[in-house]
Amino acid sequence: MTTIPGITDFPELLMEGVLPPDLQGTLVRIGPAGSDGAGGADGAGGADVANGQRGMLHAVELRDGKAVSYIARASAADTNVFWHGGSVLALPEFGLPLQYSRELDPREFGGGLTVPISSHTRLEAATGRRVLFGVDDSGETPVLRFGEWAADGSLASAQTVPLERATWQHDIGITPEHLVFIESPTEPLGAGASVDYRWAPGAEGWLGVVRRADGMVEEAATQWLRLDPSVVTHVLGAMPAEGGRALDVYVVVYPAPEKGQPVDLEAPVVGSSQRGIGMVTIGGGLGVLERWRISGVGEAQLRLERRQVDERFVEYPRVDGLCEGGNFRYGYGVELGFGLAGTAATVDGVEHFGLLKFDFERDEVASWSPGVGRVASEPLFVRGDGGRSDDEGWVLCVVDDSYRGGSDLYVLDASAFGRRSPQAVVHLPDGVRLPFRSHGTWVSASWYR
């Protein structure tokens, strides 16, 4: 093992099973660098938090049937990571991106931004464009800012939508012709929490639809629709429906707290700085996946039909990266539930049971569990060579194993989800425990070789 300031680098990793020959690339994940059991590399991270390095980036390269390296780097960003314009971009909950090479070497950010953005951006796979957004309440009137990065990473467009008040907006949905955002019944807290918003009792929720033209956000009036109070954390995806006359948006929805519920209205909506989505309840409950069918787009009034996809609780939903911003059939997510306090897979009463695979065409759901004492994190789907469907490939999932005190990378056959043992299990170095929460991205070797 060699150590460089800010980096821990390990050689080839131990593995069980056989890696698919077409799985060539680098898995990059980000999360908090806290020392609460599954944060920083080697269990370290408390000092990094104190020095302003709230997050930790992790990279595992798979090449020629082997896991050839693991790299970790402390970072001021801790929430999301993605590949765009030939670089890794890391984001806090709200702020400016930090830019890295695939080997996690820092680079000067060249994305043309001067204002902070939310931790979620949305790729349109067909064009390589990426939509970014953020709520800005620094002026007299709060606004929602939108922008689009071109495939080369340059800032291609920008637009603002006036808001009545600043609200927590964590994710959005995009289709080739529309952008959908959701306002929750929240308001700024000003306490420096990771999610710096609290509940706003009595406030309504709103859904907004903005038109995109030629892959660019259009300077046009926003269509609005009132929503029952609730919070949407993550958007699995959005796509045209009913021959283009409507939009289907798949969202993870939490109920807003009702009067009399034991919810602290002065506390952050999502726990403390050491907790986060998928680790605590929100509004006293857990999220379910819903399909929101939006019709009346471009007409006098929007209409909304809400349908719960499955009764199980879910978080961190993802689709095939080749389907982002377009049509998809399958989705993947982490199954949550209420567990017994003190169990290995439970944080504040929320347990990660395993993964779910949604088939929206057949209205079916399959499940997979890594077993007792193991905690599954966000799944990433990687399409196999020659794969024509968004389940013809591999699901990558980092699993924290309390028995061995470390994290493992599981490779699952998506087409046989829940029916076969893992194709391979890559053991990260002893003591390395990646966080349960936050996000990851797959960087195909074809993009950098």
Side-chain angles (χ1 to χ4, degrees):
M1 181 181 76
T2 58
T3 301
I4 304 171
I7 279 190
T8 306
D9 189 4
F10 293 87
E12 184 178 330
L13 306 179
L14 298 177
M15 181 180 65
E16 300 173 34
V18 179
L19 282 173
D22 56 354
L23 200 55
Q24 306 267 348
T26 302
L27 171 70
V28 183
R29 273 182 54 87
I30 193 171
S35 53
D36 57 348
D42 295 322
D48 294 322
V49 173
N51 292 325
Q53 301 298 299
R54 297 176 56 91
M56 186 74 72
L57 286 163
H58 308 262
V60 180
E61 183 179 2
L62 307 181
R63 186 197 313 156
D64 300 330
K66 299 178 181 180
V68 297
S69 67
Y70 164 78
I71 301 173
R73 174 180 284 278
S75 173
D78 65 345
T79 308
N80 203 3
V81 63
F82 53 92
W83 177 268
H84 190 73
S87 294
V88 172
L89 296 180
L91 277 165
E93 174 64 27
F94 186 70
L96 290 172
L98 300 177
Q99 188 165 330
Y100 299 88
S101 70
R102 182 183 61 87
E103 296 83 7
L104 304 186
D105 295 319
R107 291 177 172 176
E108 183 177 354
F109 175 63
L113 285 179
T114 58
V115 295
I117 60 173
S118 174
S119 61
H120 280 270
T121 67
R122 281 287 164 177
L123 175 68
E124 184 179 51
T127 64
R129 288 181 175 271
R130 188 174 286 272
V131 177
L132 48 147
F133 75 103
V135 175
D136 183 356
D137 62 349
S138 60
E140 294 184 5
T141 302
V143 296
L144 182 63
R145 297 183 182 275
F146 295 116
E148 299 206 14
W149 277 318
D152 63 3
S154 61
L155 193 63
S157 68
Q159 178 193 356
T160 59
V161 173
L163 304 174
E164 289 187 2
R165 71 179 192 281
T167 65
W168 181 46
Q169 298 188 40
H170 188 64
D171 204 351
I172 54 173
I174 68 166
T175 72
E177 295 185 350
H178 296 94
L179 187 153
V180 180
F181 62 94
I182 300 103
E183 287 193 14
S184 59
T186 56
E187 60 188 7
L189 177 60
S194 57
V195 175
D196 205 6
Y197 286 84
R198 64 185 174 188
W199 295 106
E204 295 179 321
W206 290 91
L207 179 149
V209 177
V210 177
R211 180 172 173 79
R212 302 173 67 216
D214 298 324
M216 305 271 284
V217 177
E218 194 175 66
E219 290 282 357
T222 304
Q223 287 187 271
W224 295 94
L225 179 68
R226 190 188 70 80
L227 298 171
D228 292 334
S230 60
V231 162
V232 168
T233 52
H234 293 116
V235 177
L236 181 144
M239 58 183 169
E242 296 181 347
R245 299 186 302 276
L247 306 174
D248 277 349
V249 186
Y250 289 85
V251 293
V252 177
V253 184
Y254 291 75
E258 299 177 356
K259 187 176 181 180
Q261 282 186 280
V263 176
D264 185 357
L265 299 180
E266 296 302 316
V269 173
V270 183
S272 70
S273 60
Q274 293 301 310
R275 295 291 182 258
I277 297 170
M279 298 177 70
V280 294
T281 60
I282 298 178
L286 294 174
V288 295
L289 188 65
E290 291 187 1
R291 187 202 71 185
W292 289 8
R293 175 155 291 178
I294 306 167
S295 54
V297 178
E299 301 176 6
Q301 185 174 357
L302 293 177
R303 299 176 296 278
L304 178 65
E305 173 197 330
R306 293 175 59 171
R307 182 178 71 84
Q308 186 171 311
V309 174
D310 190 68
E311 72 279 0
R312 282 165 285 197
F313 302 121
V314 68
E315 257 303 349
Y316 296 104
R318 297 293 296 260
V319 297
D320 177 4
L322 297 178
C323 297
E324 288 196 60
N327 294 325
F328 53 88
R329 172 175 172 176
Y330 299 98
Y332 307 85
V334 178
E335 181 183 2
L336 304 182
F338 293 103
L340 298 175
T343 59
T346 301
V347 181
D348 288 356
V350 179
E351 184 170 351
H352 293 214
F353 292 139
L355 303 182
L356 297 174
K357 173 189 175 183
F358 299 93
D359 184 338
F360 301 113
E361 185 174 297
R362 293 187 175 180
D363 199 20
E364 295 176 350
V365 183
S367 63
W368 171 82
S369 172
V372 177
R374 298 182 178 95
V375 182
S377 61
E378 176 193 62
L380 289 174
F381 175 82
V382 180
R383 192 176 297 199
D385 286 350
R388 293 176 292 179
S389 169
D390 45 340
D391 80 334
E392 294 183 7
W394 313 101
V395 174
L396 308 184
C397 178
V398 174
V399 173
D400 184 77
D401 189 332
S402 63
Y403 296 116
R404 88 173 188 88
S407 293
D408 301 314
L409 172 59
Y410 281 61
V411 179
L412 309 173
D413 185 341
S415 63
F417 194 86
R419 303 194 306 272
R420 287 184 188 169
S421 300
Q423 175 78 15
V425 178
V426 176
H427 299 295
L428 272 62
D430 290 343
V432 172
R433 304 185 71 178
L434 274 64
F436 311 150
R437 71 171 174 94
S438 294
H439 300 282
T441 191
W442 173 252
V443 183
S444 171
S446 63
W447 301 344
Y448 57 79
R449 285 187 186 168

